[in-house]
Amino acid sequence: MSTLVLGSSGLVGRELITKLAGAGHQVVACDVAKPVGSPSPEGITYVSADMSRLDQMVALLHEHEVSRIACFSYVMGPLMSPGFADFLGAQQVNIMGVTNVLEAARLTGVRRVLLASTVGTYGDQSLYGDREVNEDDVLAPRSMYGRMKALNEAVADRYRQVHGLDVVKVRPSSILGSGSTIWPSRLIERLAVGETGYAPYGPQARDNIVAVDDLTTLLSGLLNKTDLGHDTYLACGHNVSMAELVTLLGELLPESTIEYPADRNRAPTYAQVFDNSRAVKEIGWELKSVRESVCLHINGVRRDAGLAPLTW
Ligand SMILES: NC(=O)c1ccc[n+]([C@@H]2O[C@H](COP(=O)([O-])OP(=O)(O)OC[C@H]3O[C@@H](n4cnc5c(N)ncnc54)[C@H](O)[C@@H]3O)[C@@H](O)[C@H]2O)c1
């Protein structure tokens, strides 16, 4: 029996395979991109397969006797870029690919599928009022990315209802860790190597951040806990304003230059504050502080760039 991690060359996948293998699981690491990082740790088998091909997914699950799947493959960063135009390619992975994984899991009797969703499936904060948003709140995505994820969730719900497939939807917030393809890369990753950092939103805007190490600890718990109380979990860490984050980065990296967007009112297209108590209570999830999460991200980037770590 093995655990399949799809998207194993991505930010989340590469951390998750190491964590699962370290805990003694047989891990099949799958991506269309080459493996990232040091030589294969024990317990990890690397394979190349394309999620948009149902035949390849079914063959993979059979061949490796997969009992659990973490589905983290996606076209995300590029899709968020205003100039992105490969709508067909994105849908083949994000819509057909995710459905292929659910179908292959059903056909081969997989025990549990962990499906990566996002807080981008929620609507603007004003829809919920001045309070933290939780798993029971209505979804109202405004971005194409968020809408694709909401469709993935709806399909997953039907697989659960119609076929009894144990699909668990996980909605992470903005993940901090070396290899991010969204806004932390343009802020923290640039600062970590001495370049100007760009804050994604204006100073008063809030977003939620979670360290990739904390996120993968939660994912590991959700994959392996026998009886889960729910089928949806917010995988969120700390609610922070951009001003708080910029101030912290200025303290950690005093020589740095950070620019806000020209539109100082720019804010996420989704809600800005989230309640993670379901995951905290049910899985016993413990989180690093904001400061520790940011320091880890900075030094992870420096390690990958061959630079010495900083000390504080
Ligand atoms: N990074 C974040 O801040 C964040 C926040 C919320 C949700 N998420 C979600 O978490 C998941 C993982 O995020 P990430 O940051 O690790 O993404 P990532 O872009 O770093 O990794 C995605 C991986 O999917 C692979 N992939 C693409 N097409 C594929 C295909 N056809 N078959 C197999 N693999 C394919 C890519 O090669 C890549 O390695 C995604 O579903 C993402 O939408 C991420």
Side-chain angles (χ1 to χ4, degrees):
M1 289 294 176
S2 63
T3 300
L4 172 66
V5 176
L6 289 158
S8 55
S9 302
L11 167 63
V12 177
R14 74 183 77 141
E15 285 275 331
L16 184 58
I17 57 174
T18 311
K19 191 157 283 179
L20 290 173
H25 298 278
Q26 282 302 314
V27 177
V28 180
C30 174
D31 206 299
V32 284
K34 283 192 306 196
V36 176
S38 46
S40 323
E42 209 169 309
I44 302 180
T45 305
Y46 288 95
V47 294
S48 175
D50 185 344
M51 196 167 83
S52 64
R53 293 276 307 271
L54 178 61
D55 58 336
Q56 292 189 12
M57 287 300 106
V58 173
L60 190 60
L61 301 192
H62 274 310
E63 186 182 342
H64 295 276
E65 298 183 349
V66 171
S67 62
R68 290 182 169 74
I69 301 175
C71 182
F72 282 76
S73 289
Y74 221 71
V75 176
M76 177 189 58
L79 183 63
M80 291 184 181
S81 152
F84 181 81
D86 184 12
F87 306 118
L88 183 59
Q91 289 185 62
Q92 278 167 342
V93 177
N94 295 357
I95 306 301
M96 285 311 300
V98 169
T99 310
N100 285 339
V101 173
L102 298 171
E103 181 67 9
R106 170 184 89 82
L107 290 171
T108 60
V110 164
R111 279 200 214 135
R112 178 169 294 162
V113 180
L114 213 57
L115 184 65
S117 184
T118 172
V119 295
T121 50
Y122 290 98
D124 188 84
Q125 184 69 44
S126 59
L127 187 64
Y128 309 101
D130 187 16
R131 64 170 176 86
E132 293 182 341
V133 170
N134 67 34
E135 289 87 347
D136 298 327
D137 280 307
V138 67
L139 301 184
R142 289 166 61 200
S143 67
M144 186 188 289
Y145 167 65
R147 288 172 182 171
M148 286 184 174
K149 287 289 194 186
L151 177 57
N152 298 152
E153 287 206 18
V155 174
D157 289 342
R158 294 305 298 269
Y159 267 86
R160 178 179 274 277
Q161 286 157 10
V162 176
H163 298 299
L165 187 67
D166 183 2
V167 192
V168 179
K169 298 162 288 175
V170 185
R171 298 180 186 147
S173 53
S174 296
I175 303 165
L176 301 195
S178 178
S180 167
T181 59
I182 60 167
W183 69 256
S185 67
R186 294 183 290 281
L187 178 60
I188 301 175
E189 306 217 354
R190 288 178 59 89
L191 292 172
V193 295
E195 296 172 0
T196 299
Y198 299 104
Y201 311 117
Q204 304 313 319
R206 300 180 76 79
D207 198 4
N208 186 288
I209 53 172
V210 60
V212 68
D213 185 42
D214 288 337
L215 174 65
T216 50
T217 298
L218 174 64
L219 298 178
S220 184
L222 290 171
L223 269 173
N224 295 308
K225 190 166 189 281
T226 315
D227 294 313
L228 290 175
H230 298 87
D231 64 12
T232 310
Y233 292 83
L234 272 169
C236 297
H238 302 280
N239 297 313
V240 290
S241 72
M242 283 302 118
E244 287 162 357
L245 198 53
V246 165
T247 301
L248 173 62
L249 285 163
E251 280 167 28
L252 295 170
L253 303 164
E255 307 295 314
S256 59
T257 306
I258 302 174
E259 292 180 9
Y260 281 109
D263 174 5
R264 304 272 288 190
N265 292 320
R266 188 158 193 268
T269 58
Y270 47 85
Q272 298 183 26
V273 289
F274 298 94
D275 170 6
N276 64 6
S277 57
R278 178 178 290 179
V280 168
K281 284 187 197 142
E282 215 182 291
I283 309 296
W285 192 30
E286 291 179 5
L287 291 146
K288 292 172 191 54
S289 67
V290 173
R291 184 186 173 91
E292 202 181 343
S293 306
V294 171
C295 291
L296 275 174
H297 191 173
I298 291 171
N299 274 340
V301 173
R302 292 182 65 82
R303 177 201 60 217
D304 293 348
L307 299 170
L310 300 176
T311 48
W312 292 281

